[in-house]
Amino acid sequence: MVVRRAPAAWLAAAALALSGCTGTQPGTEPGTDGPTSAGSPSTTTAGNTSHAVAPPGPREGRLWSADVLVQWDEPLSDEVVRRIDRLKGVARTERIGLGQVSIENRVLTVAAVDPGDYRLFNRADVADLDEAWERVAGGELATSRRVARRLQDEDGNITLGAGGESEAPTIHVGAYTPQVPTIDLVVNKAWADDIGMDDDNGLLISTDSITPARIRKPLMRIVGRKASVQMLDIASRIGLDPGATLTAIPAGGTIGSLVGTFRYHSLGGGRIAPEPRWVASNIRTEVVPILGAVTCHRELFPQLRAALLEVVSSHLADEINPGEFAGCYYPRFIAGTTSLSNHSFGLALDLNVPGNLRGSVGEMNRAVVAIFKKWGFAWGGDWKFTDPMHFELSSLKRPG
């Protein structure tokens, strides 16, 4: 995939046009789901010129409904796209990149797109918000106000990776806009390599006036069992397509390297069923200091054991109550959402639950926290929306 970089003259013009842009631009009021262009509250320039592509200009062409989203674990071939394009009921397709990033125990879907083409699959008020797509082309990120409120820092940036991952890119939020169902964050394709994701492993499909479910079976015959096929009309109502085998491909960084391709389906009640082969290859039950037998990802144990041994040797074992341990491997969505938790991968654990509830400062001994950080764990107590019981693997640090 060739990424069209923006001409230097446009980059200079864009920087000038956005300079001095602060706070919320004309649009809907905060807290609603309408589109709003957003600048940084504390900086005068927000674009990333090293990750800019050619600006899309005003919208050209008609809008298309976003009806089906297909995700592979590798770039899709031209032949597959041609076969899908010829399928009865398919009105339009658009290739995009899809990957998942872990941010504060939430696994969110990132789409790497061509801003000028992808905008046509958005609702009219979003598609026609020219500045939003110019900002995405200029190297910024678009997301919903709900996601931004939870994850962006005081400068309006979101880091696309778990805490402690120095290689995770930090991207400025350029626009608050409602997103295509199941997609959380949108960037241009120049960011794909930095995020550690493909830029051509997803396909948006419009069936226009045809009910999307009518193409599910013939589409599945073309794409095969390894692809995830989601009906977005269903996802827009309930957050996911319960008839789909879903795919998460954590992008780059520590979690991406350990998890690989993660296929699952929803069981209802917030629970999921990961592919049995993935579970058999990755999940183990072992005995560790203080906690006893725990079930986690096999790659978590060396660092968990090292951290707990240091807690013991530092005479801090009494600061962790094994009776208040809430588990490690727990395949589920974050409560009230359709976002996977890092517990689904067995790469997180919750300690001393009663005194360390979400939204509180917590009672976790800070010397214990420091030991866990030393051994490559991020701590939920550092987050904007705190979760002080929660520790998750964020970098590999193997005992000597």
Side-chain angles (χ1 to χ4, degrees):
M1 176 65 64
V2 176
V3 177
R4 295 174 297 160
R5 298 284 179 172
W10 179 82
L11 296 177
L16 178 62
L18 295 179
S19 66
C21 177
T22 60
T24 301
Q25 298 302 298
T28 57
E29 292 301 313
T32 72
D33 64 354
T36 305
S37 174
S40 166
S42 61
T43 60
T44 57
T45 59
N48 187 305
T49 57
S50 65
H51 291 81
V53 300
R59 173 168 71 88
E60 296 181 0
R62 61 160 287 187
L63 299 180
W64 301 92
S65 54
D67 296 314
V68 183
L69 183 64
V70 188
Q71 180 177 6
W72 286 260
D73 57 3
E74 59 186 15
L76 61 153
S77 70
D78 292 341
E79 175 58 25
V80 167
V81 176
R82 281 193 292 267
R83 292 178 63 192
I84 293 172
D85 284 336
R86 293 195 296 263
L87 192 64
K88 185 177 179 180
V90 172
R92 177 90 168 195
T93 61
E94 172 66 14
R95 299 189 197 205
I96 61 176
L98 290 171
Q100 284 68 38
V101 294
S102 173
I103 311 174
E104 297 188 0
N105 194 35
R106 291 173 179 264
V107 181
L108 302 179
T109 296
V110 183
V113 308
D114 178 308
D117 293 334
Y118 175 79
R119 71 192 296 182
L120 302 180
F121 285 80
N122 287 258
R123 71 191 205 193
D125 56 343
V126 177
D128 289 333
L129 189 62
D130 290 340
E131 186 183 6
W133 300 106
E134 289 172 0
R135 284 173 173 261
V136 171
E140 296 183 84
L141 175 153
T143 189
S144 69
R145 186 177 292 277
R146 174 184 58 81
V147 171
R149 183 186 298 116
R150 173 173 286 275
L151 298 178
Q152 72 182 10
D153 63 22
E154 62 183 11
D155 294 323
N157 300 311
I158 295 178
T159 298
L160 303 190
E165 291 189 312
S166 59
E167 70 273 25
T170 296
I171 309 179
H172 187 267
V173 178
Y176 302 138
T177 59
Q179 300 301 311
V180 168
T182 78
I183 292 175
D184 302 296
L185 309 158
V186 172
V187 297
N188 71 48
K189 291 192 175 188
W191 278 108
D193 284 346
D194 295 71
I195 297 171
M197 59 184 283
D198 289 319
D199 70 356
D200 201 12
N201 67 328
L203 195 70
L204 260 177
I205 301 173
S206 173
T207 59
D208 211 6
S209 59
I210 303 299
T211 302
R214 290 176 59 180
I215 73 165
R216 186 196 286 269
K217 288 184 178 179
L219 180 61
M220 289 293 295
R221 285 195 290 269
I222 293 174
V223 303
R225 297 179 60 186
K226 289 187 176 182
S228 169
V229 178
Q230 298 186 67
M231 302 292 110
L232 297 183
D233 60 332
I234 299 173
S236 67
R237 296 195 301 271
I238 63 175
L240 53 81
D241 175 4
T245 297
L246 303 173
T247 302
I249 309 175
T254 299
I255 290 177
S257 66
L258 297 181
V259 174
T261 299
F262 181 83
R263 292 186 175 88
Y264 64 100
H265 64 270
S266 173
L267 296 175
R271 296 176 301 120
I272 65 167
E275 187 177 39
R277 286 182 298 178
W278 185 92
V279 176
S281 297
N282 293 281
I283 300 302
R284 301 283 187 273
T285 298
E286 298 185 12
V287 175
V288 299
I290 304 175
L291 300 176
V294 298
T295 301
C296 303
H297 194 287
R298 59 188 174 84
E299 297 290 347
L300 182 77
F301 283 107
Q303 286 168 240
L304 175 59
R305 190 172 285 110
L308 292 173
L309 283 172
E310 184 165 340
V311 169
V312 171
S313 67
S314 300
H315 307 290
L316 295 169
D318 289 345
E319 297 295 333
I320 296 177
N321 186 341
E324 297 175 352
F325 172 59
C328 181
Y329 175 61
Y330 183 17
R332 62 177 174 84
F333 296 116
I334 297 287
T337 77
T338 54
S339 297
L340 291 176
S341 161
N342 279 337
H343 286 283
S344 298
F345 309 139
L347 293 172
L349 62 154
D350 292 335
L351 301 175
N352 294 7
V353 171
N356 292 282
L357 300 179
R358 287 190 182 93
S360 71
V361 174
E363 301 171 355
M364 192 67 65
N365 184 287
R366 296 318 191 250
V368 170
V369 170
I371 291 171
F372 270 84
K373 288 183 177 181
K374 171 185 172 182
W375 286 105
F377 290 86
W379 179 49
D382 290 330
W383 298 344
K384 184 175 180 181
F385 286 81
T386 60
D387 190 4
M389 72 179 73
H390 183 90
F391 295 85
E392 62 183 40
L393 197 68
S394 64
S395 59
L396 292 178
K397 296 180 182 294
R398 292 310 189 214

